[in-house]
Structures are given as structure tokens and as C-alpha cells.
């Protein structure tokens, strides 16, 4: 019975409940129907808007007892399809409606293109909706799912639609349990089970989809928790899981702190490690960029994440970051400052952070560098010439000012004299720094007292206010000179930092844009430091690895010039020739050396990989040749020798029929032997580099027919499936024929009596997977690698037992063609040989809409 609203009543928006499945077949629809019966038993008015049972009898049984709104029928492309009747649902106005398959695309003819849009209309009408969707249909995960399964999902639903749901319940199942459910026929019909298990429903696919679903729901839970905390103004840390923040300064103690924090985070399941470095807002922090880069690599190798925040108040910035990430523990290193430094500068970052941490646990970790810091340096580091000039100015400037002011002693008062002397002290500070300004201030105080404060020409001061004036002069002069020196130091550091950043940025761009990194790096090093030549030398042999010279610099021009050397890894050295390189440039030069070491190592690995690849290919081919010679060559040779030997035996007289049979046996064996020898000769030439693989697009149906013709029993029960839907593979036709013949022969030998051997093919991304399926006893997991080893079945063993006839050769040939050969279990018992080969280029196939095909097939 439809619910009627009183006139003027404003209805609420309906509530949405979503059952999110990790994969098809986990039981979403079943859970939805079970929830419908529970609500109906409690008196709610529940109707079925649309349910897709897929022929599952247990699901169909739960529909009984629920009111089902008849579906509407729509014609499309000479066929009729059923869809949910949206208008009938809105006219019925139940309390709750069940709508299956939220991501479904509607058949053209309705007012909405997607079913989730129908659901939005139902919710807007004030009707509660219970629906289902699989994780592979979420829009944000569409490309990820395609990479995992190789199948594009054309039916998707925007994540926001699902996120807005009032309730999201994950329906999950272990991959092995879901595969057993499928093998029992509880998900798909029997004729579709093998193909589904071998393709989309592989254990790896299901495991990856399950992880995606769990992570997506976990993110939704975190969003809900953050919203709840924000709406209730909860600032305290909730220890839902351990989040450990380690503060890094770029100092030598960083690695100790990182490892200690990682151990704390690993104590609980799901612990998270976050490293943070606080840099000043002016960008003039004195941290070593190289040390921070190494510490960042260590953090990421331990599974943590690295962050950088800006803040002038380090304790406040650390705690703000920790609270923003809901950290439960904060790890700091004990101060490197000495006792005198701590006495002069007060409590450090650690103590201030502890005092303000509130509900965040703070760990102060001791290390080898505790208390080994130095007092802050006074003044800037100037060149030797400028330092001498500063001290000279500290001596001379006060004397010159005294000579200049003495004639005006009667017209200028003490205040004017003191200000002029103070100006001279500031000028000295700008030239030579704080120490030279300190010398100038002391000399100026003495001269001011001797020549300008009564009584003159003595160091005695009669009036108290003159004493105060002299003390204030000395204090102000020292303070102002210190401030001026500090400002100059900051300006110098800012200019230096800007130049270094621009140089390193240009360096990175030059290296990344260049095809060959080392020449670009050396050229940039030479121009950045203004050198005549830069060379990268082998530190053991002295040989030149790479070199960059200025256009005007030859061997003669560089002789006798200054050279600067810096190590590049363990076996190389970077040598710069030209001007004397200042010590201030060493930090940037170290960054250049690190880039050179990385480029050199990359080149070395590329050369090593190129050298190893032919050896690996030759080794694989050698293994295949040994397997063939020791195994497959013996059988036809023995049969031919036995037949010919019997015919030549004088002791036995054979009937014409027996003679014909022996000759046929010998002829058949020699044909096989000839074919095998031809293949072996071709592979020998291939191993020696005298023959290349003739890779070409090969239709699977054609090569399978040729492989079946070469089998001992041409009437063997072999059933090809879906080979015509798979694209051609990129392979060598004779070699692929041999691989298939060996694998099928092995499957026939171990198959259950009367059961056919299935040969199926499927396309995933840029690969084609060929499966040869038998219903034999199977292969134990511990024996799966052994079946591919050569010499597993020799002539002195029973040829009717064992596994792996020709499998060593088959795997070697498959890998030579860029593919692989692996063993899988057959659901329900048996062995599946999985042959993976590259798909021929420019091959595209369209995956059918499985749900649509199933509905069409059922109708």
C-alpha cells in the first residue's frame, strides 16, 4: 500500500545503504535480500525494484515473500530487455526499495542513462534504498582494476555517489573460498566455471580486488571519523592506531632517530611512520640537503613517509603537524648543544615540545652526538683580505673620526660626537663583521672619553651622566653592530641559497632532459663553477670515464692550474681544473658528485644488464637443448632401431602384415626424429647467434591444428575453447607448435580416462594466456618447479608414469619467445599448464558486457 503524505508535509530525503562487494559472487544480493526480510519482519514496507539473481537458486529463494514491482521492457537492436520501472516505484512509494547493480547502464529509452541516477530520484522522493555494487565498478578504481584483471569495466558509478551513502557494508570472502563456491556451481553455470576461474577469478586477481575494497572502505571510515571529530570539536588524539612522527634536523643523529621510531611503529599492527623536517620560512635553515636526502631514503625504505613543513617556531610546527596527522608518539633527539650553549640560549626544542605536547607521547632519544655542539659563531666568515681590512678599519676609523671632530669640539656636543662614532662602528661592522666592530667600539669608547668628555685628555669622568652616556654608547654600538652583522649574514646566506637552488635546479633539468646523463652533468659542473675542465676518472686505473673542456682550454692551458677533487662513489673521482674553488662551494659540489655517482651507477647497471641478457638467453636455450637431446631424441631413435633390427633378424620370420607394421613404425619414428633434429639444429644456430627467431603473428587455431596433427594419436580427445576470440600471438610458428604438442601430450598422458583435454585462450592487456587443462591427479606444489627440470624421466624409468615429458624444452622455447610456462591447479582436480605469450601488436579485443550477456542468455 502506497504511503500518502499530508498536505504541506515536506518529506525527508531517503536513506541509502550500499553493500560493497570485493568481487562478483561474494554474496551482496543475498545479504541485501536477507536485510530486506529482517526489515519486513519488523514491520517495514519493503518492495523489490530490481533484483538480478543470475540463476542462483539460494538467491532466488530469498525473493519469495517480498513484493516485486514488475519490470518494464524496452526494445534495443532487435531484442527486448527488462529494466527497473522507475515510475512504478515512485508511484508505489514504499518505505524501502531494493535495487541491485547500482553501476548498471540502462537500456536506451528511459529518462536516465545510469541506474544510480534512478536511485537518486528514488532517494529524492523520500524512499529508502538498499543497493549493491562491486569495487571494480567504482570510477576512481577503474584503471587500477583494468591493470590487474586486463578487463576494462564499462559500467562505473562515481565514487561520490557511494560515499554519500548513509551506510556502507563490505561484503568480503577469501579468494580460495570464492573459487570453491564457483567450482560448486553456486555463482556461474557449469559451462562458464572453468573459463571464469582461469581468467577473472584467479587467486591473484581476487586478492588484489579484496585489498582495493578494504582500503577504499578504510578510507571511508577515516573520513567518517574525521567528520565526527570536527563536528564535535574534538582536538584530542584518539589512538585508533599508532602513528609515530620523528623530527629530523638533517644532523648526523637522524638515522638513529629514524630506526628508533620505526621500531616503535612496528610494535603494533598497522603502525605508521612519518618523518618531518621543519624549515624556516625564510628558507635559510642550515640543514644539509644531502643528509636530509639520505634520511628520506631510509624513511621510505622502512615503509614510512617523509614530509617537510615551514615554520619559524619549531616546537609549535612539530606539534601542529603531529596533531594534524593524529600522531600518538613523537620522537626527538636530545640536544647537540653543549652546557654553555644551553645556559646562554635557554631551553631547546626538545624541552619546549615536551612541555606543550599534552596527550602526545614524546620520546627523547639519546645519540652519539649529544652535547657535542659548538657555540654559535660570532660574525660572518669573510675572505682573509676582508677580515684584515675589517680589523684595520676598527683601528683606523675611530682615530680618523677623532681627528675630524677635534676642531669642532666647541661647537658640537657630546651627543653628536657619540652618534658620529656610533655610525663609524656600524660601518666597520658592515665591512669586517661583529668582531672588528667590537674592536672599533672599544677604541671609540676610549677616544670619546679621552678627547671629548671633560676633563679632557684624561680617562677620568667627573659627571655621572657622562658615565651613563659612555656606557649607553658602547652598548648601543655593540648591539647595532651585532644586528647589522646578523642581517648581513642572513643576506649572504639568502643569496647563497638562491644561487645554490638555481644551480641544482638547472643541473637536474639538464640531466633529466639529456639522453646521456654524464656528459650533461660534467658540462653543467664546468659552467656552474667557472672551471676550465671537469673530468670523471676511475680512481683505481686513472682512466678517463667522461670529460668536459672549455672551448679555449686545451692540455697546455690547464697545466699548472688549481685542481679540486671530490669522490664519486667508491671507484671514481670528479676532478675540476681551473680557478681555486672556495670552501663555500663544496656543498654544491658534493651534490654534483652525488648526481654523478647516480648517473655512473645507472650506466653501469645498464651495461651489466645488457651483458647478462644474452647469457641468460643462451643458458635457457642450452637447458632446452639438453632436455631434448637426453629425452625426446631417444624415443624415436629407439623405436626405429628396434623396428629395423627386428626386420633384419634372421631368427624370426614376419608375415607381410607384421613387416608392414614394423616399416610403418620405423618410418613414423624417423619422421619424428628428422623433425626433432631440424628443430635442434635451428635452436643450435639460434644459440650461436647464427639464426634469429622468426616472430610473426600466429593464429592460435592454426598452430593448434598443426600441433594436434603431430601427436601420436590423431584422435586424442582434445577440446579447443574460445581460441577464435583470442588475438594472434607473437611467436615463432614451428617452436610454438612444438611447445603445444609437448604440453598437450603431457596432459593426455595424465588425464582422467574418458575426459577431454581442454585448450582455452584469453587476452589480458598485452598478453595472451593459453591453458591446457587436464583432469588428472594434479601436481603437488612442492613438485611444480621440478617438472620443468631436465632428466626427470629417462629411458630406464617407466614411460607411463611421472610428469613433465618435454616440459623443460617447452619452457625454454616459451621463454626464448618472450613468454612463460607455469603450472596451476585445475578447479575440481587436475593440472593446468599456463602458456603466456605476447599478443601480436595492434590487436584489440572488446570484452563483452558479462552481465548483459547473462541476462540475454537466461531469457
Amino acid at each position: 500500500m502506497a504511503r500518502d503524505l499530508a498536505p504541506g508535509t515536506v518529506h525527508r530525503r531517503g536513506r541509502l545503504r550500499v553493500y560493497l562487494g570485493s568481487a562478483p559472487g561474494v554474496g551482496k544480493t543475498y545479504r541485501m535480500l536477507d536485510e530486506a526480510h529482517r526489515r519486513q519482519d519488523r514491520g517495514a514496507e519493503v518492495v523489490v525494484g530490481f533484483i538480478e539473481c543470475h540463476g542462483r537458486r539460494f538467491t532466488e529463494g530469498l525473493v519469495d515473500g517480498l513484493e516485486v514491482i514488475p519490470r518494464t521492457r524496452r526494445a534495443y537492436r532487435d531484442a527486448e530487455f527488462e529494466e527497473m520501472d522507475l515510475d512504478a516505484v515512485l508511484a508505489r512509494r514504499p518505505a524501502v526499495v531494493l535495487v541491485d547493480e547500482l553501476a548498471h547502464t540502462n537500456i536506451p529509452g528511459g529518462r536516465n542513462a545510469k541506474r544510480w541516477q534512478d536511485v537518486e530520484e528514488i532517494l529524492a522522493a523520500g524512499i529508502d534504498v538498499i543497493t549493491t555494487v562491486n569495487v571494480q565498478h567504482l570510477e576512481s578504481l577503474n584503471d587500477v582494476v583494468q591493470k590487474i584483471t586486463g578487463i576494462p569495466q564499462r559500467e562505473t558509478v562515481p565514487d561520490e555517489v557511494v560515499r554519500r551513502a548513509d551506510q556502507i557494508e563490505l561484503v568480503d570472502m577469501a579468494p580460495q573460498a570464492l573459487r570453491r563456491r564457483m567450482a560448486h556451481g553456486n555463482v556461474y553455470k557449469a559451462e562458464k566455471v572453468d573459463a571464469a576461474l582461469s581468467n577473472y577469478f584467479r587467486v591473484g586477481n581476487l586478492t588484489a580486488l579484496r585489498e582495493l575494497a578494504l582500503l577504499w572502505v578504510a578510507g571511508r571510515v577515516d573520513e567518517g571519523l574525521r567528520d565526527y571529530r570536527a563536528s564535535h570539536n574534538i582536538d584530542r588524539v584518539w589512538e585508533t592506531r599508532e602513528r609515530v612522527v620523528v623530527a629530523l634536523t638533517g644532523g648526523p643523529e637522524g638515522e638513529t632517530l629514524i630506526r628508533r621510531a620505526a621500531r616503535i611503529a612496528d610494535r603494533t599492527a598497522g603502525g605508521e611512520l612519518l618523518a618531518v623536517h621543519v624549515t624556516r620560512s625564510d628558507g635559510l635553515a642550515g640543514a644539509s640537503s644531502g643528509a636530509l636526502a639520505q634520511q628520506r631514503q631510509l624513511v621510505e625504505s622502512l615503509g614510512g613517509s617523509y614530509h617537510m613543513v615551514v615554520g619559524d617556531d619549531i616546537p609549535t610546527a612539530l606539534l601542529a603537524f603531529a596533531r594534524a596527522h593524529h600522531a600518538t608518539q613523537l620522537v626527538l633527539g636530545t640536544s647537540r648543544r653543549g652546557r654553555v650553549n644551553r645556559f646562554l640560549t635557554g631551553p631547546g626544542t626538545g624541552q619546549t615540545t615536551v612541555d606543550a605536547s599534552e596527550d602526545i607521547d614524546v620520546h627523547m632519544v639519546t645519540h652519539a652526538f649529544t652535547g657535542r655542539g659548538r657555540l654559535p659563531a660570532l660574525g660572518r666568515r669573510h675572505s682573509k683580505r676582508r677580515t684584515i681590512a675589517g680589523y684595520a678599519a676598527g683601528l683606523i676609523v675611530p682615530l680618523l673620526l677623532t681627528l675630524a671632530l677635534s676642531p669642532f669640539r666647541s661647537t658640537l656636543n657630546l651627543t653628536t660626537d657619540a652618534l658620529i662614532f656610533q655610525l663609524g662602528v656600524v660601518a666597520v661592522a658592515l665591512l669586517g663583521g661583529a668582531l672588528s666592530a667590537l674592536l672599533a667600539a672599544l677604541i671609540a669608547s676610549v677616544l670619546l672619553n679621552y678627547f671629548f668628555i671633560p676633563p679632557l685628555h684624561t680617562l677620568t669622568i667627573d659627571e655621572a651622566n657622562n658615565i651613563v652616556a659612555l656606557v649607553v654608547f658602547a652598548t648601543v654600538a655593540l648591539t647595532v653592530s651585532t644586528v647589522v652583522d646578523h642581517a648581513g649574514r642572513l643576506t649572504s646566506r639568502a643569496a647563497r641559497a638562491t644561487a645554490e637552488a638555481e644551480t641544482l635546479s638547472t643541473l637536474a633539468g639538464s640531466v633529466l632532459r639529456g639522453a646521456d646523463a654524464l656528459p650533461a652533468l660534467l658540462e653543467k659542473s664546468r659552467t656552474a663553477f667557472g672551471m676550465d675542465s671537469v673530468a670523471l676518472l676511475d680512481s683505481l686505473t686513472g682512466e678517463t670515464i667522461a670529460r668536459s673542456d672549455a672551448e679555449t682550454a686545451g692540455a697546455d692551458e690547464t697545466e699548472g692550474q688549481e685542481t679540486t677533487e671530490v669522490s664519486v662513489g667508491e671507484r671514481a673521482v670528479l676532478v675540476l681544473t681551473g680557478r681555486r674553488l672556495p670552501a663555500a662551494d663544496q656543498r654544491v659540489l658534493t651534490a654534483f658528485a652525488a648526481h654523478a655517482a647516480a648517473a655512473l651507477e645507472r650506466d653501469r647497471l645498464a651495461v651489466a644488464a645488457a651483458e647478462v641478457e644474452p647469457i641468460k638467453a643462451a643458458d635457457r636455450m642450452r637447458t632446452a637443448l639438453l632436455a631434448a637431446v637426453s629425452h625426446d631424441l631417444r624415443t624415436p631413435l629407439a623405436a626405429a632401431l628396434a623396428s629395423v633390427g627386428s626386420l633384419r633378424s634372421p631368427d624370426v620370420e614376419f608375415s607381410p602384415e607384421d613387416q608392414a607394421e614394423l616399416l610403418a613404425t620405423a618410418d613414423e619414428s624417423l619422421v619424428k626424429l628428422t623433425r626433432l633434429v631440424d628443430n635442434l639444429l635451428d635452436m643450435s644456430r639460434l644459440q650461436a647467434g647464427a639464426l634469429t627467431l622468426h616472430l610473426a603473428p600466429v593464429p592460435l587455431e592454426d598452430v593448434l591444428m598443426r600441433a594436434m596433427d603431430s601427436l601420436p594419436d590423431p584422435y586424442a580427445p582434445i577440446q579447443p575453447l574460445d581460441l577464435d576470440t583470442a588475438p594472434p600471438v607473437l611467436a615463432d610458428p614451428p617452436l610454438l607448435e612444438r611447445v603445444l604438442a609437448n604440453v598437450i601430450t603431457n596432459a593426455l598422458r595424465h588425464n582422467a580416462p574418458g575426459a577431454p583435454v581442454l585448450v582455452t585462450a584469453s587476452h589480458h592487456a598485452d598478453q595472451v594466456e593459453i591453458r591446457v587443462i587436464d583432469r588428472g591427479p594434479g601436481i603437488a606444489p612442492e613438485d611444480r618447479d621440478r617438472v620443468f627440470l631436465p632428466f626427470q624421466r629417462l629411458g630406464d624409468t617407466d614411460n607411463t608414469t611421472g610428469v613433465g615429458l618435454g616440459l623443460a624444452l617447452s619452457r625454454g622455447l616459451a621463454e626464448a619467445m618472450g613468454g612463460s610456462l607455469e603450472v596451476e591447479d585445475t578447479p575440481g582436480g587436475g593440472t593446468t599448464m599456463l602458456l603466456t605469450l605476447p599478443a601480436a601488436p595492434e590487436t584489440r579485443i572488446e570484452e563483452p558486457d558479462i552481465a548483459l550477456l547473462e541476462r540475454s542468455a537466461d531469457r
Side-chain angles (χ1 to χ4, degrees):
M1 181 177 180
R3 298 177 299 152
D4 294 325
L5 296 176
T9 301
V10 178
H11 62 255
R12 64 169 179 84
R13 178 180 171 85
R15 298 176 62 84
L16 177 63
R17 182 186 184 109
V18 177
Y19 285 96
L20 177 66
S22 58
V26 294
K28 305 178 302 301
T29 305
Y30 191 95
R31 293 281 292 276
M32 178 176 65
L33 290 169
D34 187 63
E35 172 67 13
H37 281 285
R38 186 184 67 82
R39 295 196 183 193
Q40 184 172 259
D41 292 341
R42 292 168 51 188
E45 187 181 16
V46 182
V47 302
V48 175
F50 189 92
I51 290 291
E52 191 65 73
C53 295
H54 297 290
R56 301 163 189 166
R57 63 181 184 278
F58 297 108
T59 305
E60 292 173 347
L62 282 179
V63 178
D64 296 340
L66 297 174
E67 179 184 347
V68 179
I69 294 180
R71 304 178 183 181
T72 183
R73 301 183 67 86
R74 294 175 189 166
Y76 182 68
R77 292 184 178 178
D78 301 327
E80 281 196 348
F81 300 89
E82 293 183 345
E83 291 287 358
M84 180 178 67
D85 193 336
L86 176 60
D87 293 330
V89 172
L90 295 175
R92 174 66 177 78
R93 293 193 58 80
V96 183
V97 62
L98 309 183
V99 181
D100 207 0
E101 298 183 356
L102 182 64
H104 170 74
T105 299
N106 291 331
I107 298 298
R111 61 175 173 268
N112 294 321
K114 294 286 189 176
R115 184 165 293 164
W116 63 264
Q117 296 171 325
D118 294 342
V119 169
E120 288 292 320
E121 282 198 36
I122 297 173
L123 293 172
I127 304 171
D128 293 346
V129 177
I130 304 177
T131 187
T132 66
V133 68
N134 283 325
V135 68
Q136 71 264 24
H137 295 298
L138 296 175
E139 182 64 45
S140 65
L141 302 178
N142 184 261
D143 57 335
V144 180
V145 173
Q146 182 174 353
K147 291 178 182 178
I148 294 172
T149 64
I151 299 176
Q153 300 293 330
R154 295 177 178 82
E155 296 187 329
T156 59
V157 59
D159 291 46
E160 185 58 29
V161 174
V162 183
R163 290 183 185 276
R164 287 201 305 263
D166 300 277
Q167 289 180 283
I168 299 176
E169 184 171 335
L170 178 64
V171 183
D172 185 28
M173 179 176 290
Q176 294 80 2
L178 179 56
R179 285 171 62 87
R180 284 196 299 270
R181 173 182 286 188
M182 294 195 65
H184 294 157
N186 294 331
V187 178
Y188 289 147
K189 296 179 180 179
E191 61 270 16
K192 300 180 180 179
V193 170
D194 286 338
L197 290 175
S198 300
N199 293 280
Y200 191 90
F201 289 86
R202 291 177 292 183
V203 173
N205 289 359
L206 296 177
T207 303
L209 292 174
R210 189 185 192 194
E211 182 178 9
L212 286 177
L214 290 170
L215 290 174
W216 195 92
V217 174
R220 178 65 175 83
V221 172
D222 277 346
E223 289 178 7
L225 181 59
R226 286 196 298 269
D227 293 343
Y228 178 84
R229 286 165 56 89
S231 63
H232 290 76
N233 296 320
I234 299 174
D235 296 327
R236 292 179 292 105
V237 175
W238 283 9
E239 300 180 3
T240 53
R241 61 174 173 174
E242 292 290 353
R243 288 186 175 91
V244 183
V245 173
V246 54
L248 302 178
T249 64
E253 75 282 358
E255 293 187 2
T256 301
L257 302 183
I258 293 170
R259 291 189 172 92
R260 179 68 172 133
R263 290 195 296 270
I264 295 174
D266 289 341
R267 289 175 181 172
T268 58
E272 187 175 350
L273 173 64
L274 301 94
V276 60
H277 171 68
V278 180
T279 183
R280 289 174 49 181
S281 58
D282 55 14
L284 301 179
S288 170
S289 57
L292 284 174
Q294 294 178 355
Q295 292 168 11
R296 177 174 186 167
Q297 292 178 356
L298 178 59
V299 170
E300 293 174 349
S301 68
L302 294 173
S305 57
Y306 178 86
H307 306 266
M308 183 176 290
V309 297
V310 177
D312 293 322
D313 188 344
I314 295 179
T316 301
L318 282 177
L319 292 173
F321 175 85
R323 291 193 175 97
H325 289 78
H326 307 294
T328 57
Q329 304 189 57
L330 180 60
V331 177
L332 301 173
T334 53
S335 177
R336 284 179 285 154
R337 300 178 302 155
R339 294 181 179 179
V340 177
N341 197 346
R342 290 199 297 270
F343 175 77
L344 294 176
T345 58
T349 300
Q351 186 59 49
T352 307
T353 304
V354 170
D355 294 340
S357 61
E358 297 180 354
D359 51 356
I360 299 177
D361 297 337
V362 180
H363 299 262
M364 299 296 297
V365 179
T366 59
H367 48 83
F369 303 93
T370 299
R372 295 189 179 182
R374 297 179 295 177
L375 287 172
L378 290 176
R380 290 169 283 170
R381 292 184 177 181
H382 295 301
S383 64
K384 185 176 181 180
R385 179 180 301 178
R386 188 169 177 180
T387 301
I388 294 174
Y391 285 115
L395 290 171
I396 297 173
V397 168
L399 294 174
L400 293 176
L401 290 176
T402 301
L403 293 174
L405 293 175
S406 293
F408 305 98
R409 186 183 299 121
S410 60
T411 57
L412 298 177
N413 58 22
L414 179 61
T415 303
T416 303
D417 294 335
L419 289 175
I420 293 174
F421 272 100
Q422 183 173 311
L423 181 61
V425 173
V426 172
V428 172
L430 287 173
L431 177 63
L435 292 178
S436 59
L438 175 62
L439 177 62
L442 293 176
I443 296 175
S445 300
V446 173
L447 294 176
L448 188 65
N449 180 19
Y450 190 84
F451 287 100
F452 299 96
I453 296 177
L456 302 178
H457 306 115
T458 66
L459 296 178
T460 303
I461 303 175
D462 290 342
E463 297 182 13
N465 62 336
N466 290 336
I467 297 176
V468 173
L470 185 61
V471 172
V472 170
F473 163 74
T475 303
V476 171
L478 290 174
T479 303
V480 172
S481 62
T482 302
V483 171
V484 169
D485 178 72
H486 180 66
R489 183 166 62 250
L490 292 181
T491 302
S492 176
R493 290 174 60 186
R496 183 75 187 175
T498 302
E500 291 179 0
E502 291 177 354
T503 301
L504 293 176
S505 176
T506 307
L507 168 67
S510 299
V511 172
L512 292 176
R513 287 191 296 269
D516 195 346
L518 275 177
L521 188 145
L522 296 184
E523 175 66 18
K524 190 60 188 176
S525 301
R526 185 184 60 77
T527 56
F529 295 106
M531 308 301 284
D532 292 328
S533 69
V534 177
L536 185 64
L537 307 179
D538 191 306
S539 57
L540 298 180
T541 64
E543 296 180 356
T544 301
I545 301 174
R547 186 181 183 91
S548 173
D549 293 300
E551 294 182 359
T552 59
D556 297 335
E557 287 79 355
T558 59
E559 291 182 1
Q561 294 184 343
E562 295 287 342
T563 60
T564 304
E565 297 184 0
V566 60
S567 297
V568 177
E570 298 180 355
R571 296 198 55 182
V573 60
L574 190 65
V575 180
L576 294 88
T577 305
R579 66 184 180 91
R580 181 187 295 274
L581 196 64
D585 289 335
Q586 290 294 325
R587 185 170 67 175
V588 181
L589 181 58
T590 302
F592 274 74
H595 279 279
L600 190 62
E601 181 66 12
R602 185 176 62 186
D603 290 349
R604 187 189 66 80
L605 292 176
V607 172
E611 292 175 350
V612 168
E613 188 58 34
I615 298 175
K616 290 171 60 179
D619 184 67
R620 290 194 299 265
M621 191 61 65
R622 186 181 299 109
T623 302
L625 290 172
L626 288 174
V629 170
S630 64
H631 191 118
D632 292 347
L633 195 62
R634 177 173 300 190
T635 301
L637 184 60
L641 287 175
S643 300
V644 174
S646 298
L647 289 173
R648 296 187 60 188
S649 174
D651 300 329
V652 181
E653 291 186 3
F654 295 97
S655 64
E657 293 79 6
D658 293 335
Q659 292 180 4
E661 183 177 353
L662 288 172
L663 289 173
T665 301
D667 180 69
E668 180 182 356
S669 300
L670 291 174
V671 169
K672 291 182 180 179
L673 185 60
T674 301
R675 185 182 305 160
L676 177 57
V677 170
D678 289 340
N679 289 337
L680 291 176
L681 290 175
D682 288 340
M683 287 186 291
S684 298
R685 297 189 187 98
L686 177 62
Q687 184 183 11
L691 180 67
T692 58
L693 286 171
H694 297 291
L695 299 179
V698 182
L700 291 180
E701 287 184 302
D702 297 345
V703 74
L704 178 62
M705 295 302 297
R706 292 196 297 270
M708 293 171 60
D709 291 339
S710 65
L711 297 178
D713 182 7
Y715 302 103
I718 301 171
Q719 183 179 350
L721 292 175
D722 301 328
L723 296 185
D724 55 341
T725 62
V729 297
L730 190 63
D732 187 297
L735 298 186
L736 179 56
E737 174 188 339
R738 180 159 180 77
V739 172
L740 287 176
N742 283 343
V743 174
I744 293 173
T745 300
N746 181 77
L748 289 170
R749 179 175 292 105
H750 302 285
N751 197 22
V757 170
L758 301 180
V759 181
T760 67
S762 58
H763 181 224
H764 299 281
D766 57 349
Q767 292 183 328
V768 175
E769 295 181 348
I770 306 168
R771 285 177 169 79
V772 179
I773 305 169
D774 67 59
R775 295 292 180 177
I779 302 175
E782 60 271 15
D783 293 331
R784 291 181 181 176
D785 289 332
R786 292 175 53 197
V787 300
F788 293 108
L789 296 177
F791 311 114
Q792 290 300 298
R793 291 183 53 223
L794 303 179
D796 54 356
T797 63
D798 182 5
N799 284 339
T800 64
T801 62
V803 293
L805 175 62
L807 292 183
L809 174 62
S810 299
R811 172 176 272 189
L813 297 180
E815 292 177 351
M817 292 184 290
S820 63
L821 182 62
E822 303 293 340
V823 179
E824 293 182 349
D825 283 331
T826 300
T831 301
T832 297
M833 288 291 176
L834 172 60
L835 174 62
T836 304
L837 291 170
E842 300 182 1
T843 299
R844 295 177 178 267
I845 65 169
E846 294 291 336
E847 292 288 342
D849 187 335
I850 296 177
L852 188 61
L853 291 177
E854 286 181 344
R855 289 197 297 270
S856 300
D858 292 341
R859 285 192 291 271

